[in-house]
Amino acid sequence: MSIAIHPVTEADRAFWFTLDRHLIREEFARKVRDRMGYVLAADGRPTAILRYSLFWDSIPFCTFLYVKEGARRRGYGRLLMEHWEKDMKARGYGLAMTSTQENEEAQHFYRAIGYRDCGELNLPFPGYEQPTELILGKAI
Ligand SMILES: CC(C)(COP(=O)(O)OP(=O)(O)OC[C@H]1O[C@@H](n2cnc3c(N)ncnc32)[C@H](O)[C@@H]1OP(=O)(O)O)[C@@H](O)C(=O)NCCC(=O)NCCS
C-alpha cells in the first residue's frame, strides 16, 4: 500500500466536495491558494482530507478531517494529522488545535493521537445550536 499526501489543488475540487459538505465553495479556492488543505491518497486513490485555519490568527486549528467510509481505522487519519502537525512545526508553530462535538466518535481518535481537552464551546444562538463542541490541543 502506498500512501501519499499532497496540498489540495484545484484538480481535487470534485473529490473534495464528495467528503466535505460544510465548506463554502469560494473558500475552497482560498484553501488551495493558502495551502491550508491536504489530500491523502492510498494506492493513488484519494481517501481522506484535512483542512485548517488559524485560531487567533496564530494557532493552527484543524477545522475538518474526514476519512472515507470503508477506509477508517487503517491509520489514515493519524497519518494525515501527523503530516499536518509536522508541516505546522516546520512553519514555526508550537501548538495544534482542533474540535469535535461531544456526541461524536472523533474525540476518542484525537485523544488517542495525543490531543488533550482544553475547553468547550456552546452556541446558545438561534440557528447555531448544536451539542457541546470539545476543544482539543497538542504541543507539536
Ligand atoms: C475520526 C476519523 C478522522 C479517524 O480517522 P481513522 O483513519 O479512522 O483513524 P485511525 O485509523 O488513524 O485511528 C488512530 C487511532 O485513533 C483511535 N480511534 C480512531 N477512531 C476511533 C473510534 N471511532 N473510536 C475509538 N477510537 C478511535 C484508535 O486508537 C486508533 O488506533 P487503532 O485503530 O490502532 O486502535 C474518521 O473516523 C472519520 O473520518 N470520521 C468521520 C468524520 C469525523 O468525525 N471527522 C472528525 C471531526 S471534523
Side-chain angles (χ1 to χ4, degrees):
M1 173 71 66
S2 80
I3 308 293
I5 298 174
H6 65 264
V8 65
T9 70
E10 266 302 327
D12 297 307
R13 181 183 278 269
F15 169 70
W16 189 279
F17 282 104
T18 64
L19 300 189
D20 188 349
R21 307 286 155 101
H22 299 281
L23 190 66
I24 296 165
R25 302 261 151 182
E26 305 85 74
E27 282 297 321
F28 179 80
R30 218 189 295 272
K31 292 296 173 202
V32 170
R33 186 194 69 190
D34 298 340
R35 297 170 71 89
M36 291 178 113
Y38 305 82
V39 175
L40 178 148
D43 281 342
R45 283 187 297 277
T47 302
I49 57 175
L50 181 158
R51 60 175 158 84
Y52 73 97
S53 60
L54 292 179
F55 181 63
W56 288 341
D57 287 334
S58 59
I59 301 174
F61 193 110
C62 173
T63 43
F64 192 81
L65 170 69
Y66 201 98
V67 177
K68 260 168 88 165
E69 268 176 61
R72 294 180 188 159
R73 296 304 283 264
R74 294 183 198 167
Y76 298 152
R78 181 196 292 269
L79 278 174
L80 204 39
M81 288 294 285
E82 287 175 352
H83 180 91
W84 171 63
E85 290 160 9
K86 279 198 193 110
D87 212 2
M88 295 303 99
K89 189 172 178 172
R91 292 190 207 183
Y93 298 109
L95 178 63
M97 293 179 69
T98 190
S99 70
T100 182
Q101 290 180 10
E102 66 176 358
N103 60 333
E104 290 174 334
E105 291 284 314
Q107 59 186 285
H108 308 298
F109 161 75
Y110 287 124
R111 292 186 193 119
I113 64 165
Y115 282 76
R116 284 167 49 198
D117 294 63
C118 59
E120 293 184 354
L121 179 71
N122 292 292
L123 297 174
F125 308 106
Y128 292 87
E129 297 99 336
Q130 60 153 72
T132 295
E133 187 86 17
L134 306 175
I135 316 291
L136 301 106
K138 177 183 178 180
I140 54 175

